[in-house]
Amino acid sequence: MINQSSPVGFILLGFCEHPALERILFVVVLTFYLLTLVGNTLIILLSVLDPRLHSPMYFFLSNLSFLDLCFTTSCVPQMLVNLWGPKKTISFLGCSVQLFIFLSLGTTECILLTVMAFDRYVAVCQPLHYATIIHPRLCWQLASVAWVIGLVESLVQTPSTLRLPFCPHRQVDDFVCEVPALIRLSCGDTSYNEIQMAVASVFILVVPLSLILVSYGAIARAVLRINSAKGRRKAFGTCSSHLTVVTLFYSSVIAVYLQPKNPYAQEKGKFFGLFYAVGTPSLNPLIYTLRNKEVTRALRRLLGKEMEITQS
């Protein structure tokens, strides 16, 4: 058995039974990772450098972009190594660090998306009081709460997962060290860990998602009360990007952490896990850039300044 004191690592199987698919996935993952680095770094730079984006919405968006950068970097380099060659191993320490960061940042993103929904709710439903309610100090407090909750969740769940009595074959049927995959690797009683994961899923997934849906229900009612079609389009436009991101992220995470116990669901879960670890962080900047005129204008202003500097 392997426990937290064991120097022996794990074998991340991924899709090792399909070598041709792994080579294709290597190209796909590398492409999406580069898009993640470029897109999220650009969002952060725009939010910092452009004074017109110094607002709560873009403060939270830059937090989301920084989180996505850290989230993908915690797993993609190891994933690329495993996809490219026959070596699929990861050290026990590496797996522990990956699990801790993955849990912490994944939880933080769930809470941060809820905070961003609250921001959109106040912007649409309480526009006259928006500046008074969503002030800079509250923005920092809400962002800090999201990061602290993520840290606490990981500090609680990571040690109990790593203390499981793992089977001698050490084969993790996944691309990364995640809680569901490590629980499946255990040869001992996992009842406590399964209950812990279920409770965590309720508080970290179900409750935040419910709050987001309640917020958007109130937003929808407020938008329908707007008389002009232009006003309704503008109000909906401020929320559509966030709602798209929420849909992509939560649907894939729920598919991984709340999946039924059968081989077919487990195989699908690997694809969903790959999507929320690699796909959503690269798509978020595109969604906000393409759907948000302010971000597009800020990008043009930044590129325009750079061209002026180059020409001079």
Side-chain angles (χ1 to χ4, degrees):
M1 299 298 179
I2 301 171
N3 55 33
Q4 72 272 25
S5 63
S6 173
V8 183
F10 300 94
I11 300 170
L12 297 172
L13 295 180
F15 290 109
C16 62
E17 68 275 17
H18 304 293
L21 177 60
E22 286 201 324
R23 292 304 173 95
I24 296 172
L25 285 176
F26 175 87
V27 176
V28 173
V29 170
L30 179 59
T31 302
F32 273 81
Y33 183 51
L34 293 176
L35 288 174
T36 299
L37 294 178
V38 174
N40 286 289
T41 301
L42 189 59
I43 292 290
I44 295 171
L45 286 175
L46 291 175
S47 300
V48 172
L49 297 177
D50 196 307
R52 300 184 190 185
L53 298 186
H54 290 176
S55 66
M57 176 180 173
Y58 299 105
F59 170 79
F60 293 128
L61 178 56
S62 61
N63 264 268
L64 180 64
S65 293
F66 177 70
L67 189 153
D68 283 340
L69 283 174
C70 298
F71 191 63
T72 53
T73 302
S74 70
C75 64
V76 168
Q78 178 73 47
M79 192 184 300
L80 290 173
V81 171
N82 291 354
L83 286 171
W84 182 252
K87 186 179 179 181
K88 311 291 184 185
T89 58
I90 182 173
S91 67
F92 185 85
L93 178 60
C95 185
S96 304
V97 171
Q98 190 178 86
L99 176 64
F100 180 84
I101 296 175
F102 220 67
L103 263 177
S104 177
L105 297 184
T107 302
T108 302
E109 184 151 354
C110 291
I111 306 301
L112 189 60
L113 289 173
T114 309
V115 170
M116 294 173 75
F118 171 69
D119 172 70
R120 293 300 84 206
Y121 163 77
V122 177
V124 174
C125 300
Q126 303 287 335
L128 298 178
H129 303 285
Y130 179 76
T132 305
I133 298 173
I134 311 295
H135 51 80
R137 183 181 176 185
L138 181 64
C139 291
W140 281 100
Q141 290 172 339
L142 291 174
S144 299
V145 167
W147 286 92
V148 169
I149 290 176
L151 181 63
V152 171
E153 159 63 12
S154 191
L155 286 172
V156 170
Q157 201 162 358
T158 298
S160 62
T161 303
L162 295 174
R163 281 196 295 265
L164 282 169
F166 297 115
C167 296
H169 60 74
R170 303 176 289 120
Q171 295 178 348
V172 180
D173 192 15
D174 210 329
F175 289 96
V176 295
C177 291
E178 282 196 277
V179 174
L182 291 175
I183 288 178
R184 289 194 299 269
L185 180 60
S186 175
C187 288
D189 182 17
T190 60
S191 302
Y192 171 77
N193 298 82
E194 290 177 6
I195 293 172
Q196 186 184 56
M197 186 175 70
V199 172
S201 296
V202 169
F203 284 101
I204 303 303
L205 291 176
V206 178
V207 171
L209 182 58
S210 300
L211 292 174
I212 290 172
L213 293 176
V214 169
S215 297
Y216 275 103
I219 289 171
R221 289 194 298 271
V223 170
L224 291 175
R225 287 198 295 267
I226 300 175
N227 295 324
S228 67
K230 183 179 179 181
R232 286 195 295 270
R233 285 196 302 270
K234 183 178 179 181
F236 180 74
T238 63
C239 305
S240 58
S241 298
H242 177 258
L243 190 56
T244 304
V245 169
V246 167
T247 303
L248 291 173
F249 179 78
Y250 270 95
S251 59
S252 55
V253 173
I254 287 173
V256 173
Y257 281 85
L258 299 179
Q259 61 175 300
K261 287 186 176 182
N262 62 70
Y264 177 66
Q266 185 176 325
E267 195 72 9
K268 285 200 308 181
K270 284 195 278 189
F271 279 107
F272 282 114
L274 191 64
F275 180 73
Y276 84 75
V278 180
T280 53
S282 64
L283 293 175
N284 290 352
L286 290 176
I287 292 169
Y288 277 102
T289 302
L290 295 175
R291 289 175 172 266
N292 193 302
K293 293 181 179 180
E294 283 298 321
V295 175
T296 306
R297 290 168 186 161
L299 179 59
R300 289 173 180 171
R301 287 193 293 268
L302 180 63
L303 293 176
K305 289 180 181 179
E306 289 183 353
M307 289 179 64
E308 290 176 4
I309 293 172
T310 304
Q311 291 173 358
S312 61

